[in-house]
Amino acid sequence: MPVTTRIEEVRNQVEALAQAAPTAKDLMEGVCKLLHERMLKYNWVGFYMLEPGAQPPALVLGAFMGAMTPHTRIPLNQGICGAAASSGKMIVVDDVSKDTRYLACSLETKSEIVVPVFVAKQVTGELDIDSHFSAAFGAEDQELVQYCAEVVGKKLEKSQ
Ligand code: SME
């Protein structure tokens, strides 16, 4: 299947999931499962959420699909995950070996994307995806991952 068709199909499935999922937790679990199963280069897919009230602030691992990671709690001044959450900006790393911020989760990881999740314009967490392939996250992937982060943010907002 051409990658564009697959991305469109997965986007539609995410939209359907967002409507059907009873809670934000269900939606996050569903998004991880869907992206991990359907997007062949997405080898680890997970959400990190800001720990409520933590000082200094930190991200904690939430729903994920893929191998267990040693990084279950990441302070905001560490890793690509910390950088994305503290800047509120998407970060795409085509070659993790060249990024000094990178915290290794698996020796096989070559590229990574992290997209913040916003609730009422505040960063509340992020969607992190690792790939065993270099530069796996092109423009269409970035749009898909951004869309997933947005629907999760909206669902979290509704459940507040
Ligand atoms: N690579 C991330 C850490 C999380 S693992 O990829 C699951 C980082 O540099 O923040």
Side-chain angles (χ1 to χ4, degrees), residues 62-110:
F64 75 97
M65 284 294 283
M68 187 55 195
T69 167
H71 304 293
T72 53
R73 194 172 186 280
I74 305 177
L76 286 206
N77 61 355
Q78 286 181 24
I80 294 162
C81 286
S86 50
S87 66
K89 297 250 164 44
M90 171 194 298
I91 300 183
V92 180
V93 180
D94 287 343
D95 178 353
V96 293
S97 73
K98 297 212 168 83
D99 194 314
T100 52
R101 298 169 298 183
Y102 176 66
L103 296 171
C105 162
S106 146
L107 291 176
E108 286 174 296
T109 299
K110 302 262 188 331

Side-chain angles (χ1 to χ4, degrees), residues 24 49 118-124 152-160:
M49 304 308 287
F118 289 89
V119 173
K121 301 198 169 99
Q122 302 282 335
V123 175
T124 18
V152 167
K154 281 190 196 135
K155 193 84 171 181
L156 284 164
E157 210 162 286
K158 275 197 208 140
S159 62
Q160 273 191 335

